[in-house]
Amino acid sequence: MASAVAVEAAGGPKIPMRYGRKDATSSEQCVPDGRLPGAAHPFADGSANPAEHLRRVFGRMGLNDKEIVVLSGGHTLGRARPERSGFGAEKTKYTDVGPGQSTASPSGSPDRPVTPKPAGQLGTSWTVNWLEFDNSYFKEVKAKRDADLLVLPTDACLFEDDGFRPFAEKYAADQEAFFADYAVAHQKLSELGVEWEEGAPVTI
């Protein structure tokens, strides 16, 4: 629920979440740590390249190329911290702005002319307006226009791999398509392996 609300509050699509899942009763029922994708070679699973690695990680969850690419667009929010991930810089001109508003170009959305940013945030973001959910991740990764924006090998491969590229190009050009496909994929990812309580699922 928190992820769906955060995406919507940041200007993204409404995600059709369903509720009423059974809680885990022991740690044995939880997925072990270390299942998230790595950012660059060498990959823990032995993958030879970033595209192979993404397909291995997401493929075991039943996700296809389209879903891998669209979920990668979630990097439009947030930033990487070098002391935690080993990637990015301590701060950039986009994360270390002063009090008030971002100096970034507005998104064009009439209700979100600029994105407020807290002062003195650390790390490197993938996008200029890193608190706003839009399709700028795909635009920035494609352009590689700014050294102050992060492009990891697992980001760059979305435009380099023949299977990923058509979807990445589509989302860079069409925010509505990105939003529509993202909402579906986010819900699917959220419900992987879910067992429902009696009478569930329910929507709010």
Side-chain angles (χ1 to χ4, degrees):
M1 186 170 93
S3 64
V5 171
V7 166
E8 187 176 359
K14 182 174 180 60
I15 297 165
M17 298 293 284
R18 301 188 297 170
Y19 303 98
R21 306 152 192 240
K22 290 183 179 180
D23 288 333
T25 57
S26 69
S27 60
E28 286 73 29
Q29 293 176 295
C30 299
V31 175
D33 289 340
R35 293 290 187 93
L36 294 174
H41 196 272
F43 296 106
D45 62 8
S47 293
N49 58 67
E52 179 185 346
H53 177 62
L54 289 178
R55 288 190 175 100
R56 282 187 176 183
V57 171
F58 289 102
R60 67 174 172 237
M61 296 184 277
L63 300 171
N64 59 29
D65 282 3
K66 175 183 177 180
E67 292 161 333
I68 292 169
V69 174
V70 78
L71 288 170
S72 295
H75 279 155
T76 193
L77 296 178
R79 53 209 155 85
R81 298 278 294 274
E83 75 275 17
R84 296 179 184 174
S85 69
F87 294 92
E90 181 181 351
K91 62 184 180 179
T92 73
K93 64 190 176 194
Y94 300 118
T95 57
D96 192 43
V97 297
Q101 304 291 331
S102 164
T103 58
S105 299
S107 67
S109 178
D111 62 331
R112 298 171 128 19
V114 289
T115 302
K117 288 190 177 143
Q121 296 296 298
L122 302 179
T124 303
S125 57
W126 284 264
T127 64
V128 173
N129 285 320
W130 51 272
L131 294 178
E132 183 168 333
F133 195 97
D134 56 20
N135 69 333
S136 60
Y137 165 81
F138 297 103
K139 294 179 179 179
E140 297 294 355
V141 170
K142 180 180 180 179
K144 297 181 183 178
R145 66 178 182 86
D146 194 328
D148 274 348
L149 295 177
L150 193 61
V151 179
L152 300 170
T154 44
D155 301 315
C157 78
L158 302 182
F159 287 93
E160 296 166 353
D161 179 83
D162 289 342
F164 292 152
R165 187 185 308 111
F167 302 110
E169 293 282 1
K170 175 183 177 181
Y171 300 140
D174 188 341
Q175 181 167 284
E176 287 188 13
F178 167 51
F179 277 18
D181 291 347
Y182 181 87
V184 173
H186 186 120
Q187 181 188 20
K188 179 177 178 179
L189 181 65
S190 178
E191 293 185 356
L192 288 176
V194 166
E195 293 184 14
W196 301 102
E197 296 282 3
E198 185 176 351
V202 297
T203 57
I204 299 175

